[in-house]
Amino acid sequence: MKKQNKIQQTVLILIFIVLCLLIVFPFWLLVSASLSNSAVLAKSGYQVWPNPIDVSSYEYVFKNPHQILSAYGITFSFSVVTMVLAVLFMAMIAYPLTRENLKGRSVINFYLYFTMLFGGGLVPTYILIAKYLHLNDTLWVYILPGLISPWYVFMMRTFFQGIPGEIIESARIDGASEYTIFFRMILPLSKPVLATVALFIFLAKWNDWYTALIYISKPELYSLQYLLQKIMEDINILKQNQQMASGLIDMSEIPTETVRMAMAVVVAGPALVIFPFFQKYFVKGL
């Protein structure tokens, strides 16, 4: 029996090793391509190991390091601030919805659900944010519009409903206020769902380029994603105008495809570093 269990465990381990390799292999090719020479990549295609190793694509991406580092700082700042505030505010909305004695609970639930079905559209949203709230060209335009998500509120509400009511009642009998119960009991017991929502929000904000496209015109407020997209657009414009430049621009010196891969590595790196810190709670939250 023990021998059979060991065989089964060995088979499962081998299956998961293969699955992990299938998942990691494309990313490894991405890193390899970003370190390859553009001419070699165009001729030989993707290789498991770059030969020769060429960092010209990273040199092109970081040719203006101040701009890249500024975009990193802007993106990291609004991603972290939005993550913290959104988790706190949505938890403060979700917890009261679990209390049966809350007046108008069904109305609030319907209001949140209704916003998941219908939206105002791009033009009314732009008018509200830019013309009335005057958030355009400010850091707050990255933060405030994304603080509340009904989907995450319902996710938290469902998790909070799974916390035994006896714990809350015993704390209330001991004289604890609602704020004490929420901050010192509910939130510590809800780390899995809070970490899961926090990770999703951080990744969504980290990958946000659309907000900068619509609302930001100041280069010093560009997000990292939007800045790298503009770098890629500049390369494409140079390629399209190559003939008009009468040979003044040598496109062979610009590693177009490898720059694209290098940008993907630059963007994905911080998210890959942060994920292990959330992994334990993330699995429980799901």
Side-chain angles (χ1 to χ4, degrees):
M1 189 68 179
K2 291 184 179 179
K3 184 177 180 180
Q4 184 178 1
N5 289 336
K6 288 184 178 180
I7 294 175
Q8 292 177 350
Q9 290 179 358
T10 303
V11 172
L12 286 175
I13 291 173
L14 292 175
I15 291 174
F16 281 110
I17 289 176
V18 172
L19 289 175
C20 289
L21 291 176
L22 291 175
I23 294 171
V24 172
F25 186 67
F27 183 76
W28 176 256
L29 285 181
L30 177 71
V31 176
S32 175
S34 69
L35 293 171
S36 299
N37 182 275
S38 57
V40 174
L41 183 66
K43 181 179 179 181
S44 304
Y46 293 92
Q47 298 178 350
V48 176
W49 188 260
N51 186 23
I53 295 179
D54 187 349
V55 296
S56 59
S57 57
Y58 289 95
E59 292 176 353
Y60 187 86
V61 172
F62 288 97
K63 68 178 181 179
N64 189 349
H66 175 73
Q67 192 176 28
I68 290 290
L69 292 177
S70 175
Y72 256 112
I74 290 292
T75 304
F76 186 78
S77 298
F78 72 70
S79 297
V80 171
V81 172
T82 304
M83 177 185 69
V84 174
L85 293 180
V87 170
L88 176 62
F89 290 160
M90 288 190 290
M92 294 179 71
I93 295 173
Y95 173 66
L97 294 178
T98 64
R99 315 310 300 159
E100 296 181 357
N101 58 351
L102 175 66
K103 295 182 179 180
R105 184 175 66 162
S106 59
V107 176
I108 298 174
N109 280 323
F110 177 77
Y111 173 78
L112 292 172
Y113 177 68
F114 186 83
T115 60
M116 297 175 63
L117 301 178
F118 302 97
L122 176 59
V123 174
T125 302
Y126 178 83
I127 294 174
L128 173 64
I129 293 176
K131 302 301 181 181
Y132 287 93
L133 300 179
H134 303 289
L135 297 178
N136 54 312
D137 286 329
T138 66
L139 194 61
W140 291 108
V141 76
Y142 292 111
I143 299 172
L144 294 181
L147 282 182
I148 305 300
S149 170
W151 169 256
Y152 293 139
V153 171
F154 289 138
M155 183 188 299
M156 289 182 177
R157 185 197 64 179
T158 303
F159 190 93
F160 292 158
Q161 287 175 338
I163 298 176
E166 292 79 5
I167 297 178
I168 300 174
E169 292 300 328
S170 62
R172 188 174 287 112
I173 292 174
D174 290 337
S177 64
E178 289 293 342
Y179 288 103
T180 302
I181 294 173
F182 177 73
F183 285 104
R184 302 189 62 178
M185 298 188 66
I186 299 300
L187 293 186
L189 291 173
S190 306
K191 289 180 180 178
V193 70
L194 297 180
T196 301
V197 173
L199 178 63
F200 285 156
I201 293 174
F202 180 85
L203 293 179
K205 283 297 175 181
W206 183 264
N207 294 318
D208 182 16
W209 60 270
Y210 187 73
T211 300
L213 174 67
I214 300 297
Y215 299 107
I216 300 297
S217 60
K218 297 179 180 179
E220 62 270 20
L221 291 177
Y222 283 168
S223 65
L224 179 63
Q225 295 278 4
Y226 183 64
L227 176 62
L228 296 180
Q229 184 191 29
K230 284 189 68 65
I231 293 175
M232 204 65 230
E233 287 179 354
D234 293 341
I235 294 176
N236 292 332
I237 291 174
L238 287 176
K239 290 178 66 177
Q240 292 173 3
N241 296 336
Q242 183 180 10
Q243 294 180 349
M244 298 177 60
S246 302
L248 296 177
I249 301 176
D250 186 7
M251 288 303 298
S252 63
E253 297 181 358
I254 302 179
T256 309
E257 191 64 26
T258 54
V259 165
R260 193 189 305 274
M261 303 304 167
M263 289 192 300
V265 174
V266 169
V267 170
L272 292 176
V273 172
I274 289 175
F275 178 76
F277 296 98
F278 289 87
Q279 184 176 6
K280 178 177 68 174
Y281 300 112
F282 179 71
V283 174
K284 291 181 181 179
L286 289 179

